[in-house]
Amino acid sequence: MIKLTPSHAPRLGNGRLNWKEMASSYAMVLPAIAFLCVFTLYPMIDLFHMSFYRGNANNPFKSFEGLDNYKWILFTQPDFLVSLKNTAYYTLAVVVLLISLALIFAVWMQKDRRINRIAQSVFFTPHLVATLSCAFIWQWLYNSESYGLLNSVLDIFGLGPVRFLDSSATAMNCVVAMNVWKGIGYYALIILSALKSIPNEIYEAARLDNSSTLKTFFRITLPMLSPQLFFLLITITIGSFKVFDSIRIMTNGGPGTSTQVVTMFIYNYAFVRNNTLGVASAAGVLLMIILMLITLVYFRALERKVHYQ
């Protein structure tokens, strides 16, 4: 890695900094900085500010509540803790299934064969479809009425209809299956590109040492893939905590509260209920803090085990 020193800065002939070149450099990154400030930093600050008030989006005069909104969702109203529990279950299931299945499919598609090239296109296609469209399609597949595809197939074999989305025991798992199906191709291609970047000389040396296939996978392949797996772990976790559209279409948080996640809780208190925008903002702040803590734990616990080439 090149260590930057003051000598690398643009200078004039007399040793002074070339401020014109520096100004042009800052001007190039200014649009990105402005975009982050307007669409990321300001909403975060405004969200934190609104969490101390009571009111709605159309009322400019909101009453100050202090920490009452946080106390209410943490100690009085059990809905937030239920939604947090459901979100944790969904996140754990999606992270484990996506990374495991993506890794298996990537290893399977590693060899340059015609069927593997076709499989790459087939697996990646669902990622190109909008989540709303996927949710509508899978809602039709799961439908418990006679026109639901899965129940129609079960009816051919004389099996009774299954209430996939209408039962609290199966609804969340059905949503997990849809999202895993949609994302597995994208993450498998990321792992596949990392697999193809591993030098063949390493595997040749392992074969000369009579290393078994299983030992080679766990001692060579997985450590070489650890940067990509670590990246996927963080991105999938953050994306799973923010799941909304698929649950909104397929179950709308039901039946009961079995699929009520944190984002659904925020949506209901921000746009459905009256004068509870502060409660939704407080839940958004707590969600942001939880994601920061999880990311910090990941870096503290796993970053040292990541092997960079």
Side-chain angles (χ1 to χ4, degrees), residues 68-88:
D68 289 347
N69 291 328
Y70 293 93
K71 294 178 181 178
W72 192 78
I73 62 178
L74 289 175
F75 303 107
T76 305
Q77 182 69 11
D79 288 358
F80 180 78
L81 296 180
V82 172
S83 63
L84 186 61
K85 178 182 176 181
N86 293 335
T87 306

Side-chain angles (χ1 to χ4, degrees), residues 10-239:
R11 293 178 178 272
L12 296 173
N14 55 4
R16 292 181 302 171
L17 290 175
N18 190 338
W19 295 108
K20 290 183 179 181
E21 293 187 11
M22 291 188 64
S24 63
S25 301
Y26 282 111
M28 292 180 183
V29 299
L30 184 60
I33 296 176
F35 183 88
L36 289 175
C37 291
V38 173
F39 295 101
T40 302
L41 184 60
Y42 171 74
M44 290 173 57
I45 297 174
D46 192 52
L47 179 72
F48 184 74
H49 173 262
M50 289 190 299
S51 66
F52 297 107
Y53 290 84
R54 180 179 182 271
N56 55 63
N58 297 323
N59 184 12
F61 303 102
K62 302 176 179 64
S63 60
F64 182 75
E65 298 291 330
L67 296 176
D68 289 347
N69 291 328
Y70 293 93
K71 294 178 181 178
W72 192 78
I73 62 178
L74 289 175
F75 303 107
T76 305
Q77 182 69 11
D79 288 358
F80 180 78
L81 296 180
V82 172
S83 63
L84 186 61
K85 178 182 176 181
N86 293 335
T87 306
Y89 174 83
Y90 171 86
T91 301
L92 180 63
V94 169
V95 168
V96 172
L97 289 176
L98 263 184
I99 294 181
S100 301
L101 294 178
L103 182 60
I104 292 173
F105 282 115
V107 172
W108 173 58
M109 294 185 296
Q110 186 177 7
K111 293 184 179 180
D112 189 13
R113 295 179 296 185
R114 180 179 176 81
I115 188 173
N116 289 347
R117 292 193 294 269
I118 297 175
Q120 292 177 25
S121 302
V122 172
F123 289 153
F124 187 72
T125 300
H127 178 72
L128 302 177
V129 182
T131 304
L132 292 177
S133 301
C134 293
F136 280 116
I137 293 172
W138 280 75
Q139 187 184 41
W140 165 66
L141 294 176
Y142 286 135
N143 198 287
S144 58
E145 302 296 334
S146 58
Y147 56 83
L149 180 61
L150 295 181
N151 277 311
S152 298
V153 174
L154 292 176
D155 186 61
I156 295 175
F157 296 96
L159 302 176
V162 179
R163 299 169 59 87
F164 291 103
L165 297 178
D166 300 329
S167 172
S168 58
T170 58
M172 181 61 81
N173 293 328
C174 292
V175 177
V176 169
M178 191 281 291
N179 284 283
V180 170
W181 168 83
K182 186 181 186 305
I184 188 172
Y186 172 74
Y187 297 111
L189 289 183
I190 293 178
I191 298 177
L192 179 62
S193 63
L195 279 172
K196 292 185 176 181
S197 67
I198 300 177
N200 290 327
E201 293 79 5
I202 300 178
Y203 290 113
E204 292 175 359
R207 285 193 292 268
L208 291 176
D209 291 338
N210 295 323
S211 177
S212 63
T213 303
L214 195 62
K215 187 177 180 180
T216 301
F217 178 77
F218 284 101
R219 294 292 182 88
I220 296 177
T221 305
L222 272 184
M224 298 294 285
L225 292 177
S226 56
Q228 288 74 26
L229 295 177
F230 184 63
F231 167 76
L232 294 184
L233 177 64
I234 295 177
T235 54
I236 295 174
T237 300
I238 295 176

